[in-house]
Amino acid sequence: MTFRLSFILTVFFVCFSFAQNGNPNDYLSAQFHKERREALRAKMPKNSVAVFFGNPIRNRANDVDYVYHQDPDFYYLTGYKEPNCVLVIFSNNQTDKDGKTYNEMIYVQEKNPKVEQWTGIRLGTEGAKKDLGFEVALNGKEFLNSGIDYMSFNNVLFKEFEEDTRNSKRDKADLYKLIGAFKSQIGYNEKVKSQTDSNVQNEINPKKSITSKKATIDTQSILTYMASLREIKSKEEMVLLTKAVRISAMGQREIMKAMHPGMSETEIQGVHEFVYKKYGSEYEGYPSIVGAGNNGCVLHYIENSKMKVENDLVLMDLGAEYHGYSADVTRTIPANGKFSTEQKLIYDLVYDAQEAGIATAKIGNGFGAPDTAARKVISDGLIKLGITKTADESRKYFPHGTSHHIGLDVHDPGLYNNFEENMVLTVEPGIYIPNGSDCDKKWWGIAVRIEDDILITANGPVNLSGEAPRKSNDIELLMKEKSVFDNFNLPVLD
């Protein structure tokens, strides 16, 4: 597919992804989420119950919270995007007092017109039934005294709790209270948290009880079940994930045309993120990384504060999030449009390593295959360039792994065994030579990472982010093109 044709299709897709009221209508369907719950239920042991809690609201400062982001597992299973919620899934049918059977229930935020005027419309129980497809939807406060007899189940499955919830004085059914009620109902012994690690290991077996009157809890199996589900992407998921990846690739293309030595790292970040918003991406999948020169040697550099990138290489690791699905695409380009001799040697070495890694992303190969292939190319290349003397020494210049799953998390869960069809992973080798390294000074401050999002198919690996040039010559050619940002000038502020 030519770039021009793919661009036209993208614009077409963007235009027709909105309902008549102006809101997107290309979210995952209620049927998708229902099928995911059924798939999880099929993995659960007989006579077991799984309990999922939404993410907490996290405070930024004073009375300002961070933009809320739902727990990915909760979203995967429900499509519900609001806080203060609980999902309960039973392996076997249950019967209520009226003789009706059910095998799942969701607890959601109660409708409250006064609160909704400030923070947005709540779905409520009726919305959870109509829009999310739940037959049993209850207000969160009903979970406080749910009547579920957890002691009667062979296994109560849930993820271990994190200490990041706040107790709101205004909300009688916030996450803090929902979790507290659950702990009380299963006999969860919180005092274990304050014991030494050795005592904790001796006293906690995730498949055995931890108090005298308690349920049989299991905080490990649910992680395995969800990882095995989420590492294989459905057709519906691939539509959204592919869009997130292509949006991210478009951001890389546009900055290649707009880049010049006088730009700041923050401005470069802004160009990427503007493109994301233009295509309908709600958020970034993770804090944007834009590191010029030596800053690129910091793997998760997010300050992006250098005022002029000058003639440095600029490492840009960014990913758009579209309807919850996050891309992860990295390009490294010369700010002045032309690789220096040393920059090009390192860049081309990383490119060759990535090509070797991508070639191994085939069904049946182990998840570590791309890393093994890429690392061999880089270690041999660094020795040839005189930067290192041994293969082991190359690890200090290539200190991270080469691949991870992507999806609802930028580092999506998975079992990390052999490659299977419809997995999506990154292949991202890199070389980072910080100032002061034990090599010739001409290499100092060079940092290169190339990262693409690869779909595993029956016909071999497919590069979803390939619209952003990777070859050094192709990058230089694109950087000569005019940019839509060339004449974007704002008044100078003192």
Side-chain angles (χ1 to χ4, degrees):
M1 183 187 296
T2 66
F3 167 69
R4 181 176 179 81
L5 177 57
S6 63
F7 181 79
I8 291 172
L9 289 175
T10 298
V11 173
F12 178 86
F13 188 29
V14 169
C15 291
F16 286 88
S17 294
F18 298 89
Q20 289 184 350
N21 63 4
N23 295 324
N25 65 357
D26 57 337
Y27 289 102
L28 294 170
S29 67
Q31 182 63 27
F32 165 84
H33 298 295
K34 180 180 180 180
E35 289 173 357
R36 297 297 84 204
R37 296 194 297 275
E38 291 173 349
L40 172 60
R41 189 176 291 109
K43 292 179 177 291
M44 293 167 59
K46 292 183 179 179
N47 192 36
S48 63
V49 57
V51 182
F52 294 85
F53 294 89
N55 261 348
I57 298 170
R58 293 182 169 91
N59 183 257
R60 184 176 185 271
N62 194 17
D63 58 351
V64 177
D65 295 325
Y66 285 103
V67 174
Y68 184 73
H69 194 284
Q70 185 59 277
D71 173 79
D73 280 340
F74 201 98
Y75 183 75
Y76 182 79
L77 295 170
T78 68
Y80 189 67
K81 296 185 287 185
E82 299 175 29
N84 303 322
C85 50
V86 188
L87 172 68
V88 182
I89 298 178
F90 302 95
S91 63
N92 305 96
N93 285 343
Q94 309 294 302
T95 305
D96 66 16
K97 59 183 180 180
D98 298 321
K100 294 181 179 179
T101 60
Y102 60 95
N103 57 19
E104 61 189 16
M105 54 180 65
I106 189 171
Y107 295 84
V108 299
Q109 291 192 124
E110 189 171 6
K111 296 286 290 181
N112 186 325
K114 290 184 178 180
V115 174
E116 291 176 51
Q117 184 179 18
W118 288 90
T119 58
I121 303 300
R122 293 181 175 184
L123 201 59
T125 57
E126 292 307 309
K129 293 175 182 178
K130 178 182 176 182
D131 296 346
L132 304 183
F134 281 89
E135 293 184 11
V136 182
L138 305 167
N139 288 317
K141 65 183 181 183
E142 296 179 76
F143 184 76
L144 301 177
N145 296 289
S146 67
I148 299 172
D149 182 10
Y150 294 105
M151 312 299 175
S152 67
F153 292 95
N154 294 341
N155 301 87
V156 180
L157 311 171
F158 61 96
K159 293 187 291 187
E160 189 55 89
F161 303 110
E162 303 290 345
E163 301 299 329
D164 58 358
T165 56
R166 288 191 173 195
N167 187 4
S168 171
K169 295 180 180 179
R170 297 181 178 181
D171 194 336
K172 295 181 180 180
D174 65 0
L175 184 64
Y176 182 91
K177 298 177 184 68
L178 297 174
I179 290 176
F182 177 66
K183 288 179 177 179
S184 176
Q185 292 164 16
I186 65 173
Y188 184 87
N189 183 4
E190 233 177 342
K191 291 184 179 179
V192 167
K193 290 283 190 179
S194 63
Q195 298 173 6
T196 63
D197 290 343
S198 59
N199 287 338
V200 169
Q201 293 302 318
N202 291 333
E203 296 191 20
I204 296 183
N205 181 327
K207 293 191 176 183
K208 293 184 180 179
S209 15
I210 53 177
T211 65
S212 56
K213 184 180 180 182
K214 38 47 182 170
T216 303
I217 69 169
D218 179 352
T219 60
Q220 298 302 309
S221 294
I222 201 67
L223 302 177
T224 301
Y225 300 154
M226 293 305 299
S228 67
L229 292 175
R230 287 177 54 187
E231 71 177 359
I232 307 295
K233 303 303 187 287
S234 71
K235 290 182 179 180
E236 277 192 271
E237 289 182 284
M238 282 308 305
V239 171
L240 301 182
L241 183 52
T242 299
K243 189 165 184 179
V245 173
R246 294 190 65 200
I247 290 171
S248 304
M250 291 301 169
Q252 296 284 0
R253 287 187 64 89
E254 290 305 317
I255 195 58
M256 288 181 188
K257 292 183 285 185
M259 180 76 75
H260 59 79
M263 295 182 80
S264 68
E265 291 173 341
T266 301
E267 187 179 358
I268 294 166
Q269 174 186 347
V271 170
H272 282 272
E273 294 177 4
F274 174 82
V275 172
Y276 295 176
K277 300 297 185 185
K278 187 69 174 175
Y279 279 109
S281 165
E282 295 93 339
Y283 311 109
E284 298 77 57
Y286 52 95
S288 297
I289 299 168
V290 179
N294 198 60
N295 289 341
C297 296
V298 179
L299 300 183
H300 285 175
Y301 170 79
I302 59 173
E303 288 81 1
N304 304 344
S305 58
K306 189 171 185 178
M307 294 305 297
K308 290 185 179 182
V309 295
E310 299 177 325
N311 294 324
D312 285 334
L313 282 183
V314 183
L315 188 156
M316 305 172 295
D317 184 339
L318 305 96
E321 180 184 302
Y322 188 80
H323 293 0
Y325 285 83
S326 178
D328 193 359
V329 181
T330 306
R331 293 293 184 266
T332 306
I333 67 176
N336 62 6
K338 183 72 175 177
F339 289 94
S340 71
T341 299
E342 288 76 21
Q343 290 172 348
K344 183 174 172 57
L345 285 168
I346 297 298
Y347 185 92
D348 288 347
L349 176 55
V350 175
Y351 173 82
D352 290 342
Q354 192 197 31
E355 284 285 280
I358 292 173
T360 69
K362 297 179 180 179
I363 293 173
N365 283 348
F367 206 93
D371 186 79
T372 300
R375 201 165 289 280
K376 176 69 165 58
V377 173
I378 285 179
S379 62
D380 290 349
L382 290 176
I383 293 172
K384 185 176 180 179
L385 292 173
I387 296 173
T388 59
K389 296 179 181 178
T390 66
D392 287 342
E393 191 182 356
S394 69
R395 284 193 169 270
K396 68 181 179 180
Y397 298 121
F398 180 14
H400 59 76
T402 304
S403 298
H404 60 79
H405 292 285
I406 62 170
L408 286 170
D409 281 298
V410 68
H411 294 153
D412 226 31
L415 301 180
Y416 285 84
N417 295 322
N418 292 344
F419 290 130
E420 297 181 43
E421 189 172 8
N422 294 326
M423 287 182 174
V424 185
L425 61 135
T426 64
V427 178
E428 50 174 313
I431 295 175
Y432 316 88
I433 310 176
N435 292 337
S437 293
D438 186 20
C439 62
D440 193 309
K441 289 179 65 174
K442 69 181 182 180
W443 306 110
W444 288 6
I446 294 179
V448 174
R449 180 162 64 250
I450 312 173
E451 177 180 21
D452 284 88
D453 300 336
I454 307 300
L455 171 65
I456 305 295
T457 78
N459 298 317
V462 174
N463 188 347
L464 301 177
S465 46
E467 286 167 301
R470 293 186 300 129
K471 292 182 179 180
S472 54
N473 290 341
D474 291 341
I475 289 172
E476 289 179 343
L477 284 174
L478 184 57
M479 292 186 74
K480 293 178 180 179
E481 293 188 13
K482 291 184 178 181
S483 166
V484 295
F485 295 99
D486 285 345
N487 296 317
F488 183 69
N489 298 309
L490 296 174
V492 176
L493 301 179
D494 293 334

